[in-house]
Amino acid sequence: MSLRMLLSILRRHSLMPTLVLLQVALACAILCNVLFLVQQQLAPMLAPSGIAGNELILIDQLASRQKPWSAAEVRRGEQVLRQVPGVRDASAAFGLPMVAGLVDMSLQGGNGVKLGVNGYLGAGLVKTLGLDLVAGRDFLPDEYRDFGMGGDGNSKWDPGAQQPIIITQALADQLFDGGQALGKVMSDPGDADGHGYRVVGIVRHLLRNQLRLASDGRADNTVLLARRIGSTSMLSFAVRVDPAMKDSVREGVAAAIQREFGDTIKAGLVARVSFYNERRAQAFKSERAALWLFAGVTLAVVIVTVVGIMGLTGFWVQKRTRQIGIRRALGARRADILRYFLVENALIVMAGVIVGMLFALLGNGLLMRHYELPQLPWIYLPFGAALMLVLGQFAVLGPALRAARVPPVVATRSV
Amino acid sequence: MFGYYVDMALRSLKRSPVLTALMVLAIGLGIGASMTMITVLHVMTSDPLPGRSAMLFTPHLDPLPLDHKHRDDGPDPTDNLTWPDAMALLSAHRAKLQAAMAGGSLLLRPARADLRPFTVSGRYGTAELFALFGIPFEHGQGWSSGDDASRARVIVLGKTLDRKLFGSASGIGQTVRLGDSDFRVIGVTADWRPQPMFYADLSAQSFGDTDQFFLPLSAAVDLKLQINGNQSSWSKNDSGEPMTDAEMTWLQFWVQLDSAAQVQAYHQFLMDYSAQQKVLGRFQRPATEAKLYSLMGWLEHKNLVPTDVRLQLWLALGFLVVCIVNIVALLLAKFLRRSGEISVRRALGARRRDIFLQLGIESATVGVAGGVLGLLIAELGLWSVRRRPDDYAQFAQMDMSMLLGTLALAVVASVLAGLLPAWRACRVQPALQLKTL
């Protein structure tokens, strides 16, 4: 049967095909947007942290009661933590992932691109966090400058000279042509008289603090600054431990913190001591719940659409039983009838997909305007289209097979 | 005739159970998903203090310097007041009732040996707090403004905490050790838990546990107790006394105003105060920055509904549309299959209107069944929402209006879905159909 005939039949009986088309269009629009939302939610969860998560204990919620802790007290805290059995390394730090408090800054690279990044501050973080240094070197001990929060005058951000910086591979690729960042200088566009940063090392991965921004290739927008925590009224620590002694070492660390800072911590506060991986699971709890919801919606939309197409096509096949019988009597094979219904469905679904893409872009436009969502990438459209085609063919298979089984003798009866 | 049509509808639906089940399932799923999200939104935007909310207002000043750059992702410093401003508004006493307050979590060390120390959250406030919000007392009473002035170490406990610490006898006259200080219990309030917690620092906490204690703000400042909300400071030099610093906002302030004239007058007072502070050199921004929000206006301004919830609501409504289109398709198939039956009725004298009514009632029957299923699915959905880790989640409950709304929405949706199929079925030519019978 020629395509022209098929189209003319569709035109003559346009109500049923229009309804199928509308169903497909709506389902396609919703599925494209839901898949996109899922991807947005998944990206931060799937981004590699670069951190040895089950070997890292994080300590925060430490605020001083009266006066800030001095740099010497912070150093002693690190020292005491290192002496706990099972501890391999300890650093006082700011801005770490899964820890309250963040350092954000803007950097301009050799190719003029400007990016917002999170900075991590603290001495020896490459070793403590267990980062994978792919090029260059760690900071040298004499490169660190003191920096504190709410402390005394030595906590100035800009020391008046070029500072060494360690960046991630992803940042090197974005900020420098060909990713050749080592030894190059970056500037801070927000700081007019800044002296810039010289890249001394590159680490493979390091997850940023702002998890909400950790999608669309921004998960690794993180730098390490050559700062040692000085006089400060807010403290947090990163402690690298022996994973074999997980449970005992946590208690040891908590006891050491209580001994060292228990008397000077703000009344009513209790320091939080927990593994990076536990905090990560906690931080993504809400996202995981949302993912289940999206999965449920996707499944429900798919089921409802398939059922709708099946019901409608089934009725249409029944209505045309006589015509099918006539065609069979005139020499059409079962395969011809089957193919006819499959092709017909494919045509309708394709038209529906085109309308659905328009709906999807329209819906995405609305979401973008009101909810700060990024543009729906084009790649989702053919993907959604393919999914709908498969679903359509699957839904029509049953009715089409039933149609193919109609015997030619039906043509001679009045139904 | 109506009863007859309902009977006909039931018979017709029973004749094709699979198709009927599919339609009921489709509308049930759509309605269930939509009502789950609509209920969540309803709970989040409901009046936290029915009856009193219309009289409560919160003043806001802008003490920020002109060159202060506000970061988009950070909390707004002008959401709260500084200590000097709050004290000035308090002592001016221009409203019927007024109170300054802030939240705090403190470590409580119980006298009972069988209880380990635990953290409780509560509120530091000034004397008129209880009258202002209408917090009901079980025993005793609140403190006086004299206690505020003398920074008295007194405390009012919530019923739950009182029971936990002192059992069935009320703890009035006993002492409670919070942080490093002792407080004398002078009152016990009934459990009072408006949601959202409109009077808290909403950027920090909006839904959650009820306050378990109240103590004088002056005592909290005296003892430098820990504060829960945001403390936004733009001070260049550290005074060492951040709580009373004129360049740090951390206090919430609420007033009761009974008439529009009073609201007008209070707003004028705020602008006059700002202008005066500007003359004194403390404020740099225009006096028109001083704002007075009503309770519901403040909640709207703070926009407590998270983006996720709104997105999920749109998603659920989109899904409902998919379901409705699906039911249009299924009803069309169902009605047109009965062309023969309809033709017989038409031939026997039924008008198109009668056919339309009969089919409409059949759609509505599907809608009622779908609505009941939708209710069950919505309850299931709300149960899953309550298991979410977000702080608003535990309050997602369906009330009577939502329950009736669900059924109404289901019937409206199914009748709408039945319109096109019923219209189409009415136009069947009886003669043509009867010939083929």
Side-chain angles (χ1 to χ4, degrees), chain B residues 354-377:
Chain B
D354 300 320
I355 305 291
F356 197 79
L357 185 65
Q358 183 199 345
L359 297 180
I361 286 175
E362 193 168 329
S363 322
T365 313
V366 172
V368 171
V372 172
L373 180 69
L375 266 186
L376 293 178
I377 293 177

PDB file of all heavy atoms in Angstrom, chain B residues 354-377:
ATOM      1  N   ASP B 354     -30.364  13.969  25.361  1.00  0.00           N
ATOM      2  CA  ASP B 354     -30.463  12.831  26.278  1.00  0.00           C
ATOM      3  C   ASP B 354     -29.222  11.944  26.198  1.00  0.00           C
ATOM      4  O   ASP B 354     -28.673  11.512  27.209  1.00  0.00           O
ATOM      5  CB  ASP B 354     -31.705  11.999  25.950  1.00  0.00           C
ATOM      6  CG  ASP B 354     -32.966  12.835  26.083  1.00  0.00           C
ATOM      7  OD1 ASP B 354     -33.018  13.637  27.044  1.00  0.00           O
ATOM      8  OD2 ASP B 354     -33.852  12.727  25.226  1.00  0.00           O
ATOM      9  N   ILE B 355     -28.801  11.681  24.955  1.00  0.00           N
ATOM     10  CA  ILE B 355     -27.599  10.864  24.759  1.00  0.00           C
ATOM     11  C   ILE B 355     -26.393  11.544  25.431  1.00  0.00           C
ATOM     12  O   ILE B 355     -25.614  10.919  26.139  1.00  0.00           O
ATOM     13  CB  ILE B 355     -27.301  10.685  23.244  1.00  0.00           C
ATOM     14  CG1 ILE B 355     -28.505  10.112  22.520  1.00  0.00           C
ATOM     15  CG2 ILE B 355     -26.078   9.829  23.056  1.00  0.00           C
ATOM     16  CD1 ILE B 355     -28.836   8.691  22.866  1.00  0.00           C
ATOM     17  N   PHE B 356     -26.320  12.852  25.201  1.00  0.00           N
ATOM     18  CA  PHE B 356     -25.194  13.626  25.748  1.00  0.00           C
ATOM     19  C   PHE B 356     -25.170  13.521  27.273  1.00  0.00           C
ATOM     20  O   PHE B 356     -24.140  13.280  27.885  1.00  0.00           O
ATOM     21  CB  PHE B 356     -25.336  15.088  25.311  1.00  0.00           C
ATOM     22  CG  PHE B 356     -24.079  15.883  25.459  1.00  0.00           C
ATOM     23  CD1 PHE B 356     -23.079  15.772  24.510  1.00  0.00           C
ATOM     24  CD2 PHE B 356     -23.889  16.722  26.543  1.00  0.00           C
ATOM     25  CE1 PHE B 356     -21.911  16.499  24.647  1.00  0.00           C
ATOM     26  CE2 PHE B 356     -22.724  17.438  26.680  1.00  0.00           C
ATOM     27  CZ  PHE B 356     -21.738  17.331  25.716  1.00  0.00           C
ATOM     28  N   LEU B 357     -26.368  13.665  27.871  1.00  0.00           N
ATOM     29  CA  LEU B 357     -26.467  13.598  29.327  1.00  0.00           C
ATOM     30  C   LEU B 357     -26.062  12.210  29.822  1.00  0.00           C
ATOM     31  O   LEU B 357     -25.293  12.074  30.781  1.00  0.00           O
ATOM     32  CB  LEU B 357     -27.908  13.919  29.756  1.00  0.00           C
ATOM     33  CG  LEU B 357     -28.123  14.000  31.267  1.00  0.00           C
ATOM     34  CD1 LEU B 357     -27.354  15.166  31.845  1.00  0.00           C
ATOM     35  CD2 LEU B 357     -29.600  14.140  31.591  1.00  0.00           C
ATOM     36  N   GLN B 358     -26.567  11.186  29.116  1.00  0.00           N
ATOM     37  CA  GLN B 358     -26.246   9.820  29.541  1.00  0.00           C
ATOM     38  C   GLN B 358     -24.738   9.582  29.513  1.00  0.00           C
ATOM     39  O   GLN B 358     -24.151   9.068  30.473  1.00  0.00           O
ATOM     40  CB  GLN B 358     -26.946   8.826  28.612  1.00  0.00           C
ATOM     41  CG  GLN B 358     -26.725   7.384  29.035  1.00  0.00           C
ATOM     42  CD  GLN B 358     -27.001   6.406  27.908  1.00  0.00           C
ATOM     43  OE1 GLN B 358     -27.616   6.758  26.900  1.00  0.00           O
ATOM     44  NE2 GLN B 358     -26.528   5.187  28.093  1.00  0.00           N
ATOM     45  N   LEU B 359     -24.104  10.001  28.428  1.00  0.00           N
ATOM     46  CA  LEU B 359     -22.657   9.770  28.305  1.00  0.00           C
ATOM     47  C   LEU B 359     -21.888  10.637  29.306  1.00  0.00           C
ATOM     48  O   LEU B 359     -20.863  10.221  29.841  1.00  0.00           O
ATOM     49  CB  LEU B 359     -22.201  10.045  26.869  1.00  0.00           C
ATOM     50  CG  LEU B 359     -22.832   9.113  25.821  1.00  0.00           C
ATOM     51  CD1 LEU B 359     -22.329   9.465  24.430  1.00  0.00           C
ATOM     52  CD2 LEU B 359     -22.535   7.662  26.145  1.00  0.00           C
ATOM     53  N   GLY B 360     -22.410  11.853  29.536  1.00  0.00           N
ATOM     54  CA  GLY B 360     -21.768  12.726  30.526  1.00  0.00           C
ATOM     55  C   GLY B 360     -21.785  12.092  31.905  1.00  0.00           C
ATOM     56  O   GLY B 360     -20.793  12.144  32.636  1.00  0.00           O
ATOM     57  N   ILE B 361     -22.928  11.484  32.258  1.00  0.00           N
ATOM     58  CA  ILE B 361     -23.023  10.838  33.566  1.00  0.00           C
ATOM     59  C   ILE B 361     -22.066   9.653  33.643  1.00  0.00           C
ATOM     60  O   ILE B 361     -21.434   9.406  34.673  1.00  0.00           O
ATOM     61  CB  ILE B 361     -24.484  10.414  33.831  1.00  0.00           C
ATOM     62  CG1 ILE B 361     -25.288  11.674  34.158  1.00  0.00           C
ATOM     63  CG2 ILE B 361     -24.570   9.430  34.987  1.00  0.00           C
ATOM     64  CD1 ILE B 361     -26.750  11.432  34.327  1.00  0.00           C
ATOM     65  N   GLU B 362     -21.905   8.977  32.530  1.00  0.00           N
ATOM     66  CA  GLU B 362     -20.963   7.856  32.519  1.00  0.00           C
ATOM     67  C   GLU B 362     -19.530   8.370  32.770  1.00  0.00           C
ATOM     68  O   GLU B 362     -18.781   7.778  33.546  1.00  0.00           O
ATOM     69  CB  GLU B 362     -21.054   7.118  31.182  1.00  0.00           C
ATOM     70  CG  GLU B 362     -20.344   5.789  31.220  1.00  0.00           C
ATOM     71  CD  GLU B 362     -20.674   4.923  30.022  1.00  0.00           C
ATOM     72  OE1 GLU B 362     -21.793   5.025  29.492  1.00  0.00           O
ATOM     73  OE2 GLU B 362     -19.793   4.147  29.619  1.00  0.00           O
ATOM     74  N   SER B 363     -19.182   9.499  32.132  1.00  0.00           N
ATOM     75  CA  SER B 363     -17.835  10.074  32.370  1.00  0.00           C
ATOM     76  C   SER B 363     -17.686  10.465  33.834  1.00  0.00           C
ATOM     77  O   SER B 363     -16.643  10.221  34.453  1.00  0.00           O
ATOM     78  CB  SER B 363     -17.604  11.318  31.519  1.00  0.00           C
ATOM     79  OG  SER B 363     -18.167  11.191  30.265  1.00  0.00           O
ATOM     80  N   ALA B 364     -18.737  11.100  34.390  1.00  0.00           N
ATOM     81  CA  ALA B 364     -18.656  11.544  35.773  1.00  0.00           C
ATOM     82  C   ALA B 364     -18.492  10.354  36.713  1.00  0.00           C
ATOM     83  O   ALA B 364     -17.777  10.438  37.724  1.00  0.00           O
ATOM     84  CB  ALA B 364     -19.896  12.341  36.135  1.00  0.00           C
ATOM     85  N   THR B 365     -19.160   9.216  36.391  1.00  0.00           N
ATOM     86  CA  THR B 365     -19.019   8.018  37.218  1.00  0.00           C
ATOM     87  C   THR B 365     -17.562   7.572  37.237  1.00  0.00           C
ATOM     88  O   THR B 365     -17.010   7.237  38.291  1.00  0.00           O
ATOM     89  CB  THR B 365     -19.907   6.891  36.659  1.00  0.00           C
ATOM     90  OG1 THR B 365     -21.184   7.431  36.390  1.00  0.00           O
ATOM     91  CG2 THR B 365     -20.020   5.760  37.654  1.00  0.00           C
ATOM     92  N   VAL B 366     -16.945   7.567  36.058  1.00  0.00           N
ATOM     93  CA  VAL B 366     -15.512   7.235  35.981  1.00  0.00           C
ATOM     94  C   VAL B 366     -14.729   8.218  36.851  1.00  0.00           C
ATOM     95  O   VAL B 366     -13.815   7.831  37.586  1.00  0.00           O
ATOM     96  CB  VAL B 366     -15.016   7.289  34.524  1.00  0.00           C
ATOM     97  CG1 VAL B 366     -13.513   7.145  34.467  1.00  0.00           C
ATOM     98  CG2 VAL B 366     -15.686   6.212  33.695  1.00  0.00           C
ATOM     99  N   GLY B 367     -15.138   9.504  36.785  1.00  0.00           N
ATOM    100  CA  GLY B 367     -14.443  10.524  37.562  1.00  0.00           C
ATOM    101  C   GLY B 367     -14.534  10.269  39.049  1.00  0.00           C
ATOM    102  O   GLY B 367     -13.538  10.399  39.765  1.00  0.00           O
ATOM    103  N   VAL B 368     -15.730   9.897  39.546  1.00  0.00           N
ATOM    104  CA  VAL B 368     -15.886   9.647  40.986  1.00  0.00           C
ATOM    105  C   VAL B 368     -14.989   8.485  41.413  1.00  0.00           C
ATOM    106  O   VAL B 368     -14.252   8.575  42.407  1.00  0.00           O
ATOM    107  CB  VAL B 368     -17.368   9.357  41.324  1.00  0.00           C
ATOM    108  CG1 VAL B 368     -17.490   8.886  42.762  1.00  0.00           C
ATOM    109  CG2 VAL B 368     -18.198  10.611  41.115  1.00  0.00           C
ATOM    110  N   ALA B 369     -15.026   7.398  40.624  1.00  0.00           N
ATOM    111  CA  ALA B 369     -14.183   6.243  40.947  1.00  0.00           C
ATOM    112  C   ALA B 369     -12.711   6.650  40.915  1.00  0.00           C
ATOM    113  O   ALA B 369     -11.930   6.301  41.819  1.00  0.00           O
ATOM    114  CB  ALA B 369     -14.451   5.114  39.968  1.00  0.00           C
ATOM    115  N   GLY B 370     -12.343   7.432  39.870  1.00  0.00           N
ATOM    116  CA  GLY B 370     -10.958   7.896  39.756  1.00  0.00           C
ATOM    117  C   GLY B 370     -10.586   8.790  40.919  1.00  0.00           C
ATOM    118  O   GLY B 370      -9.460   8.740  41.422  1.00  0.00           O
ATOM    119  N   GLY B 371     -11.543   9.619  41.381  1.00  0.00           N
ATOM    120  CA  GLY B 371     -11.272  10.513  42.506  1.00  0.00           C
ATOM    121  C   GLY B 371     -10.977   9.739  43.780  1.00  0.00           C
ATOM    122  O   GLY B 371     -10.063  10.086  44.533  1.00  0.00           O
ATOM    123  N   VAL B 372     -11.751   8.669  44.014  1.00  0.00           N
ATOM    124  CA  VAL B 372     -11.522   7.847  45.205  1.00  0.00           C
ATOM    125  C   VAL B 372     -10.133   7.215  45.139  1.00  0.00           C
ATOM    126  O   VAL B 372      -9.355   7.256  46.100  1.00  0.00           O
ATOM    127  CB  VAL B 372     -12.623   6.779  45.340  1.00  0.00           C
ATOM    128  CG1 VAL B 372     -12.284   5.813  46.463  1.00  0.00           C
ATOM    129  CG2 VAL B 372     -13.963   7.443  45.600  1.00  0.00           C
ATOM    130  N   LEU B 373      -9.812   6.664  43.957  1.00  0.00           N
ATOM    131  CA  LEU B 373      -8.480   6.089  43.783  1.00  0.00           C
ATOM    132  C   LEU B 373      -7.416   7.180  43.942  1.00  0.00           C
ATOM    133  O   LEU B 373      -6.373   6.972  44.580  1.00  0.00           O
ATOM    134  CB  LEU B 373      -8.366   5.441  42.402  1.00  0.00           C
ATOM    135  CG  LEU B 373      -7.010   4.792  42.111  1.00  0.00           C
ATOM    136  CD1 LEU B 373      -6.837   3.567  42.982  1.00  0.00           C
ATOM    137  CD2 LEU B 373      -6.885   4.422  40.653  1.00  0.00           C
ATOM    138  N   GLY B 374      -7.722   8.382  43.380  1.00  0.00           N
ATOM    139  CA  GLY B 374      -6.785   9.498  43.478  1.00  0.00           C
ATOM    140  C   GLY B 374      -6.513   9.878  44.914  1.00  0.00           C
ATOM    141  O   GLY B 374      -5.379  10.194  45.285  1.00  0.00           O
ATOM    142  N   LEU B 375      -7.564   9.832  45.755  1.00  0.00           N
ATOM    143  CA  LEU B 375      -7.388  10.134  47.178  1.00  0.00           C
ATOM    144  C   LEU B 375      -6.395   9.171  47.810  1.00  0.00           C
ATOM    145  O   LEU B 375      -5.493   9.571  48.555  1.00  0.00           O
ATOM    146  CB  LEU B 375      -8.727  10.017  47.906  1.00  0.00           C
ATOM    147  CG  LEU B 375      -9.541  11.272  48.075  1.00  0.00           C
ATOM    148  CD1 LEU B 375     -10.753  10.986  48.928  1.00  0.00           C
ATOM    149  CD2 LEU B 375      -8.695  12.349  48.744  1.00  0.00           C
ATOM    150  N   LEU B 376      -6.576   7.878  47.504  1.00  0.00           N
ATOM    151  CA  LEU B 376      -5.670   6.870  48.068  1.00  0.00           C
ATOM    152  C   LEU B 376      -4.246   7.133  47.597  1.00  0.00           C
ATOM    153  O   LEU B 376      -3.293   7.108  48.386  1.00  0.00           O
ATOM    154  CB  LEU B 376      -6.112   5.471  47.635  1.00  0.00           C
ATOM    155  CG  LEU B 376      -7.446   5.004  48.210  1.00  0.00           C
ATOM    156  CD1 LEU B 376      -7.804   3.627  47.673  1.00  0.00           C
ATOM    157  CD2 LEU B 376      -7.373   4.975  49.725  1.00  0.00           C
ATOM    158  N   ILE B 377      -4.111   7.420  46.292  1.00  0.00           N
ATOM    159  CA  ILE B 377      -2.772   7.663  45.743  1.00  0.00           C
ATOM    160  C   ILE B 377      -2.177   8.931  46.344  1.00  0.00           C
ATOM    161  O   ILE B 377      -0.988   8.978  46.664  1.00  0.00           O
ATOM    162  CB  ILE B 377      -2.825   7.734  44.208  1.00  0.00           C
ATOM    163  CG1 ILE B 377      -3.175   6.356  43.667  1.00  0.00           C
ATOM    164  CG2 ILE B 377      -1.501   8.205  43.621  1.00  0.00           C
ATOM    165  CD1 ILE B 377      -3.340   6.294  42.175  1.00  0.00           C
TER     166      ILE B 377
END
